[in-house]
Amino acid sequence: MSESFVLESQIRLPYRYAVGKWYGAFLLGLTEERLVGSRCGSCGKVAVPARAACPLCSAASAALVEVGPRATVVAAARDAREGGRQWLLVRPDGADTCLLTYGEAESGTTVEPDYDPGAGPVIGALRGFRATA
Amino acid sequence: MSEPRFPDEPLFVTAELTLRYRYGAGREATHYLRVLKEDMSFEGSHCPQCDRVYLPPRPVCGICYAECDGWVPVGPDGTIAGATVVEVPFVDPITGEQRPVPYGFAFILLDGASTNIFHFVDETDRTRLKVGMRVRPRFRAERTGSITDVEGFDLIREEGEA
């Protein structure tokens, strides 16, 4: 039997969505080089990024709160594939939840945000976190 | 610095998901696509029990479940079994780009085949597309072993017809 054809193709799905006013406040905060979370109207915990409902008790958020800029690395893991980067789970000062981000730092250390000033209100405006100077 | 604030206007995120894949076409599709590419012709698979000829080919007859026993040349001309003109723009999932409209699209029964293939037809006026019209494939000069090696089907117009 002759060799089988191998078909190569792709499915491309471009999309666009409105992020909502709470996550919008977080993205807007990045353009001002600050981290914006939300305070729960019931339990008072602070979630970051800001969101409409508390991830801990599900009650509606009451207000926007600035957190950080310093944060503590809770966990770090390297993507071992070629070109892979290190992921960090960081908890900004004043926040009760963590952000998943990039950075070169070890667990337990203190880090600060690394912003891309020209990126605009997108998640790429936060390049990651780095060790505090 | 001022207090954190909500955006004045809705913020949008633009993103894209690209899913690349590859798969072995299998014995039947490999033969079908190779003949298409190298000979610019069509061959269907033949059921020895009910005598149907499948295009695209399949290893087993979908009606009587007998294993197909060989290849039968079909076409290249065929007859329109159903047709439409697509006028609503949509994003082509292969390219991620908006497909240009309008374009004609038809179910085509190639001569000698028992099943239809579907493909583009060179007519964008819905009133001029009729079941029973005769069509002929237009092959690309550069072929890769894909059904898109056929660019589309042209209506076979009578002498003097526009």
Side-chain angles (χ1 to χ4, degrees):
Chain A
M1 185 184 147
S2 59
E3 201 173 318
S4 175
F5 270 26
V6 174
L7 304 180
E8 294 190 37
S9 191
Q10 64 176 17
I11 298 174
R12 261 189 75 200
L13 305 169
Y15 60 94
R16 179 174 179 265
Y17 66 94
V19 299
K21 69 175 192 174
W22 292 86
Y23 192 71
F26 172 75
L27 295 181
L28 199 58
L30 297 183
T31 66
E32 297 164 344
E33 302 202 356
R34 61 180 169 184
L35 300 172
V36 176
S38 52
R39 186 181 303 284
C40 174
S42 178
C43 71
K45 300 277 190 188
V46 173
V48 63
R51 57 182 76 188
C54 175
L56 302 170
C57 75
S58 303
S61 295
L64 296 172
V65 185
E66 185 172 347
V67 297
R70 291 198 166 199
T72 304
V73 178
V74 174
R78 184 170 297 282
D79 180 349
R81 293 171 296 184
E82 192 179 340
R85 293 194 280 176
Q86 178 159 277
W87 292 88
L88 297 180
L89 199 59
V90 304
R91 181 157 63 207
D93 292 355
D96 295 293
T97 67
C98 295
L99 274 172
L100 184 61
T101 183
Y102 295 116
E104 295 294 332
E106 292 181 8
S107 281
T109 60
T110 301
V111 289
E112 61 188 7
D114 175 18
Y115 294 107
D116 179 353
V122 294
I123 189 61
L126 179 61
R127 290 195 191 103
F129 280 69
R130 60 188 168 202
T132 47
Chain B
M1 194 185 283
S2 59
E3 291 297 306
R5 60 196 167 88
F6 295 110
D8 297 328
E9 299 288 331
L11 282 180
F12 291 87
V13 165
T14 302
E16 184 177 302
L17 189 62
T18 301
L19 308 169
R20 292 192 178 83
Y21 61 90
R22 62 199 294 269
Y23 65 96
R27 185 180 58 183
E28 277 65 31
T30 293
H31 181 91
Y32 174 58
L33 296 173
R34 178 166 289 135
V35 168
L36 203 63
K37 177 186 175 187
E38 294 173 2
D39 305 336
M40 290 193 286
S41 62
F42 299 88
E43 289 187 7
S45 60
H46 173 254
C47 172
Q49 198 157 303
C50 68
D51 219 27
R52 280 185 173 83
V53 175
Y54 283 96
L55 196 79
R58 47 188 300 164
V60 171
C61 177
I63 304 296
C64 61
Y65 305 133
E67 197 173 336
C68 289
D69 66 349
W71 297 98
V72 179
V74 296
D77 292 356
T79 305
I80 289 181
T84 190
V85 173
V86 178
E87 301 191 37
V88 178
F90 67 98
V91 173
D92 185 330
I94 302 294
T95 62
E97 307 292 334
Q98 190 168 295
R99 186 178 277 178
V101 290
Y103 63 88
F105 200 69
F107 283 105
I108 295 163
L109 186 64
L110 292 193
D111 297 347
S114 308
T115 57
N116 298 316
I117 59 171
F118 48 86
H119 220 302
F120 304 115
V121 285
D122 71 329
E123 179 57 72
T124 55
D125 180 349
R126 213 170 4 182
T127 64
R128 297 175 66 160
L129 273 177
K130 301 266 192 300
V131 169
M133 287 178 118
R134 300 284 292 160
V135 291
R136 180 167 294 160
R138 184 175 62 258
F139 284 90
R140 293 182 194 277
E142 298 289 328
R143 294 179 302 282
T144 60
S146 155
I147 188 58
T148 56
D149 285 353
V150 178
E151 203 173 352
F153 281 77
D154 295 330
L155 293 175
I156 302 174
R157 294 182 164 86
E158 300 294 328
E159 191 111 353
E161 196 183 348

